[in-house]
Amino acid sequence: MAVCIAVIAKENYPLYIRSIPTENELKFHYTVHTSLDVVDEKISAMGKALVDQRELYLGLLYPTEDYKVYGYVTNSKVKFVMVVDSSNTALRDNEIRSMFRKLHNSYTDIMCNPFYNPGDRIHSRAFDNMVTSMMMQVC
Amino acid sequence: MADEALFLLLHNEMVAGLYRAAEQGEGENGRCITKLENMGFRVGQGLIERFTKDTARFKDELDIMKFICKDFWTTVFKKQIDNLRTNHQGIYVLQDNKFRLLMQMSAGKQYLEHAPKYLAFTCGLIRGGLSNLGIKSIVTAEVSTMPACKFQVMIQKM
């Protein structure tokens, strides 16, 4: 489903980034990096919004020719960015939302792991597997 | 309920264990408070990540403090903070008239000098929670009469 999934820390450095191996990895790093500005913009605009609109899911950040970039920010300001192939039109907003929820649940589990230091890069097999399962559904 | 008592017993044992170790000559007493505070910090970080998973995004600092006083306090201590005061310039005072970790001790002045040991973990808990939500702070606690206590949160502006 997704071609690239990234977790970005509060201070805007990557905690985790993985993309499908068939394509140029650097390109995705670049896409994710550029999306952070849009995330910032959306958060600051959202502070003024009504309570029911202050959702963690940010929706589509921006579309490019080949990809769509979606964003999600937790209350602790950790950002999740997902890059999806835009040829995949079957993917609906709700599905993206539930994928982000899964990602968030998984991240929470990592945070509650006593052997993980907050702010370190994520090296977790459980998280890896979950991300892999999200990317697998493509084909 | 047994699960409610579990946290209390574990906390009591944690304090007692640390002080016992200190008495046997591993560092002086002042270090124990710091250690307890640091434990609380890490626990607070993890807890807040879990508790805020399904809540809407916070509007501002006061919104976050209200969350700590209501939801966070209810989950950890089974009651809400009794009084929250602020000077709107980064100082918040959270008052709890029946603080759960002090309820087991006799009210009055007898154990007053031991009270700080039992508040350090909670100070860390608040500080860790706030830090994970992006607010740097200094948290201190004070007790005047036994089961009641006050936590003062000073927000560090960046």
Side-chain angles (χ1 to χ4, degrees), chain A residues 10 46-47 51 54-56 58 73-76 101 104-105 107-109 111-113 116 118, chain B residues 42 45-60 63 130-134:
Chain A
K10 225 192 325 252
M46 217 170 244
V51 180
R54 275 190 274 130
E55 213 192 341
L56 299 178
L58 295 177
V73 180
T74 71
N75 271 311
S76 49
R101 284 226 72 84
H104 192 175
N105 283 338
Y107 175 74
T108 317
D109 288 341
M111 264 306 277
C112 295
N113 177 354
Y116 174 73
Chain B
R42 181 63 181 88
Q45 276 185 320
L47 274 181
I48 212 77
E49 194 68 49
R50 187 134 286 183
F51 290 162
T52 59
K53 210 170 61 182
D54 301 309
T55 57
R57 199 178 302 288
F58 294 116
K59 204 165 56 196
D60 50 16
D63 213 25
L130 288 176
S131 116
N132 206 12
L133 293 174

Side-chain angles (χ1 to χ4, degrees), chain A residues 29-39 62:
Chain A
H29 282 233
Y30 177 70
T31 316
V32 171
H33 187 100
T34 21
S35 71
L36 290 180
D37 273 341
V38 189
V39 170
Y62 66 90

Side-chain angles (χ1 to χ4, degrees), chain A residues 2 13 50 55 72 77 79-80 102 108 119 121-122:
Chain A
Y13 62 87
L50 295 167
E55 213 192 341
Y72 183 102
K77 303 283 181 290
K79 294 128 191 131
F80 301 126
K102 256 205 298 199
T108 317
R121 279 196 82 101
I122 296 168

Side-chain angles (χ1 to χ4, degrees), chain B residues 1-13:
Chain B
M1 295 295 159
D3 57 332
E4 281 183 36
L6 203 59
F7 168 57
L8 290 179
L9 292 170
L10 181 66
H11 180 264
N12 287 348
E13 223 25 63

Side-chain angles (χ1 to χ4, degrees), chain A residues 6 8 31-43 46 56-64 67-73 79-84 93 96 100, chain B residues 57:
Chain A
I8 317 286
T31 316
V32 171
H33 187 100
T34 21
S35 71
L36 290 180
D37 273 341
V38 189
V39 170
D40 262 1
E41 212 170 273
K42 288 228 180 198
I43 298 175
M46 217 170 244
L56 299 178
Y57 174 58
L58 295 177
L60 180 67
L61 296 177
Y62 66 90
T64 64
Y67 304 106
K68 283 181 184 154
V69 186
Y70 292 90
Y72 183 102
V73 180
K79 294 128 191 131
F80 301 126
V81 177
M82 191 159 24
V83 184
V84 179
D93 214 40
I96 300 275
F100 272 126
Chain B
R57 199 178 302 288

Side-chain angles (χ1 to χ4, degrees), chain B residues 7-8 11-12 77 99-105 118 122:
Chain B
F7 168 57
L8 290 179
H11 180 264
N12 287 348
F77 300 111
F99 188 53
R100 198 146 159 263
L101 298 179
L102 295 178
M103 287 293 277
Q104 264 69 26
M105 283 173 258
Y118 292 91
T122 311

